[in-house]
């Protein structure tokens, strides 16, 4: 508690809010030349939790599932039905289901650490993970397109059929940028920025609460009640954001794959 109070107030007793340094924490320990910080530990714990939950939920599958198996199956069915098969159909949906399932649950578990006490930061709030997943999605949709139509994928992507030939000088650069450059960039930034902003707002609300209660005191404590209420409400909202961002990332990956395997390619 004292650490939070010190973080919320500067040496002169004024309020000091969160900064971008939140996402560059100091090194906790090193193994050889590798440095491990708080965010790495958060990612490792999220990965372990994800593996354990699915291992426990699927190791003894029963025809009449128990509660835990039912929850796991519900999550898997959500990705299979509402993302994979809904956009890609049963055949292609089955092909890319492992990828889409991995992306959805990895993003979800890495996002949700942002509201878990003592972790309090999303594993996706530093660019490495969002960028890695965006590159995987990028490779997947190019692979799907080339696999579907090795000769025509890039041609149809850059030179859409039905466009007058003289317009290709304008259309082709636009298609190249939007398809092969902006897709991975927007996938990365959409996830990253949502997690960064969410973390900064949560830290701001709860540091302000600590400041009003323990540093300012007196009537200022009433403001602390307000900032705590906002912090609690935004914590609930962050759960929704964590799920929504996982869904959007997996959904857009499926959309890009679906566009790559469309019949015109």
């Amino acid at each position: 508690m004292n650490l939070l109070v010190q973080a919320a107030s500067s040496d002169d007793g004024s309020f000091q809010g969160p900064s971008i340094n939140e996402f560059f924490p100091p090194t906790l320990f090193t193994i050889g030349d590798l440095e491990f910080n708080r965010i790495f530990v958060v990612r490792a714990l999220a990965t372990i939790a994800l593996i354990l939950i699915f291992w426990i939920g699927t190791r003894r599958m029963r025809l009449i599932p128990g509660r835990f198996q039912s929850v796991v199956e519900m999550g898997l069915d959500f990705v299979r039905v509402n993302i994979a098969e809904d956009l890609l159909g049963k055949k292609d949906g089955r092909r890319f289901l492992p990828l889409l399932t991995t992306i959805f649950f990895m993003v979800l578990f890495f996002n949700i650490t942002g509201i878990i006490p003592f972790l309090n930061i999303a594993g996706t709030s530093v660019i490495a993970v969002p960028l890695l997943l965006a590159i995987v999605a990028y490779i997947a949709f190019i692979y799907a397109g080339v696999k579907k139509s090795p000769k025509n994928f890039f041609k149809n992507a850059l030179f859409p059929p039905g466009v007058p030939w003289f317009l290709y000088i304008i259309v082709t650069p636009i298609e190249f940028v939007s398809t092969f450059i902006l897709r991975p960039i927007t996938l990365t930034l959409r996830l990253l920025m949502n997690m960064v902003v969410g973390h900064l707002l949560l830290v701001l609300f709860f540091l302000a609460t600590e400041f009003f209660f323990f540093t300012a005191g007196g009537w200022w404590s009433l403001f602390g009640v307000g900032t705590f209420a906002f912090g609690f409400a935004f914590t609930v909202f962050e759960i929704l954001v964590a799920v929504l961002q996982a869904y959007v990332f997996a959904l857009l990956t499926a959309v890009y794959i679906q566009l790559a395997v469309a019949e015109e390619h």
Side-chain angles (χ1 to χ4, degrees), residues 54-235:
F54 278 94
W55 178 68
I56 294 171
T58 59
R59 62 174 178 161
R60 294 179 180 175
M61 301 290 285
R62 299 176 180 176
L63 186 60
I64 302 177
R67 291 182 181 178
F68 198 77
Q69 181 182 331
S70 296
V71 172
V72 172
E73 288 183 353
M74 188 183 304
L76 293 173
D77 284 343
F78 173 79
V79 179
R80 178 178 61 83
V81 175
N82 294 283
I83 298 178
E85 292 182 358
D86 203 26
L87 286 167
L88 300 174
K90 289 188 178 294
K91 181 180 177 182
D92 286 324
R94 192 180 303 114
R95 287 175 58 206
F96 293 99
L97 182 59
L99 172 67
L100 297 173
T101 302
T102 300
I103 287 176
F104 177 83
F105 286 103
M106 183 176 175
V107 174
L108 175 61
F109 275 64
F110 277 39
N111 285 353
I112 211 71
T113 58
I115 54 93
I116 294 177
F118 305 109
L119 299 181
N120 297 118
I121 194 166
T124 48
S125 61
V126 176
I127 196 169
V129 169
L131 179 59
L132 174 63
L133 293 174
I135 290 173
V136 170
Y138 180 78
I139 293 173
F141 100 81
I142 291 179
Y143 164 79
V146 172
K147 185 76 173 178
K148 177 73 175 181
S149 182
K151 296 181 179 179
N152 296 325
F153 171 66
F154 289 105
K155 175 186 174 183
N156 288 333
L158 297 176
F159 301 92
V163 176
W165 65 267
F166 57 88
L167 290 180
Y168 283 133
I169 194 171
I170 299 174
V171 172
T172 297
I174 294 174
E175 290 295 324
F176 173 76
V177 171
S178 63
T179 302
F180 297 103
I181 296 179
L182 289 183
R183 284 183 181 179
I185 291 176
T186 53
L187 274 177
T188 302
L189 294 182
R190 182 183 293 106
L191 176 58
L192 176 66
M193 291 297 102
N194 273 280
M195 294 302 105
V196 167
V197 171
H199 175 76
L200 290 176
L201 285 174
L202 284 177
V203 172
L204 177 63
F205 286 135
F206 288 116
L207 282 182
T209 301
E210 295 287 344
F211 176 78
F212 287 132
F213 278 142
F214 299 102
T215 301
W219 288 101
W220 290 104
S221 298
L222 295 176
F223 287 98
V225 174
T227 55
F228 178 80
F230 276 112
F232 178 79
F234 202 80
T235 298

